[in-house]
Amino acid sequence: MDLQDQLKNLFPDHVPSNEPEETEEVAHELYVQKEPMICKYEKRKGKATTIIEGYEGTDEDFKILAKEIKTKLSVGGSFKDGAIILQGDYRDKIMKMLQDKGFKTKRVGG
């Protein structure tokens, strides 16, 4: 007895529809600002960290951007106090990614 037969036994009056439901997924648009975002390099507890600050949009948009950067670079990090903190020195790659999205960036710290 497969799943369809079991469902027919449980719900004898139900008529299954074969039409797939259409759902439109709208890509989330990030707020592109006029002021540059700051990519800076720091050493914390002897380890290199990259910090991205200066986003003027909502925190939710900044969290989405943080997640996208972390997955593309395959690196750990967090979002705290309006800044993205990433493990390692990835300023050049991050600045390139942000510029491709239309953001202005500024390199700080070395």
Side-chain angles (χ1 to χ4, degrees), residues 83-100:
I84 302 171
I85 302 168
L86 300 172
Q87 299 171 352
D89 185 10
Y90 294 99
R91 285 177 293 176
D92 296 329
K93 291 179 183 178
I94 293 170
M95 289 173 65
K96 176 73 172 133
M97 286 172 49
L98 291 174
Q99 288 169 355
D100 290 343

Side-chain angles (χ1 to χ4, degrees), residues 4-72:
Q4 293 296 329
D5 293 334
Q6 290 177 6
L7 288 173
K8 285 180 187 175
N9 288 338
L10 289 173
F11 306 104
D13 297 333
H14 178 69
V15 178
S17 64
N18 293 333
E19 298 176 12
E21 293 183 19
E22 294 181 19
T23 56
E24 293 183 24
E25 292 193 22
V26 178
H28 187 75
E29 291 290 323
L30 292 174
Y31 170 74
V32 179
Q33 60 197 30
K34 294 178 183 175
E35 295 296 317
M37 292 177 65
I38 297 172
C39 287
K40 63 182 175 180
Y41 170 79
E42 283 185 9
K43 280 201 168 190
R44 293 188 177 182
K45 297 181 183 177
K47 301 195 179 196
T49 58
T50 303
I51 301 170
I52 304 167
E53 296 177 329
Y55 186 70
E56 297 172 353
T58 63
D59 280 350
E60 291 300 318
D61 287 348
F62 206 34
K63 286 180 184 178
I64 292 169
L65 185 64
K67 185 172 183 175
E68 183 178 330
I69 289 171
K70 289 190 299 184
T71 54
K72 282 190 178 181

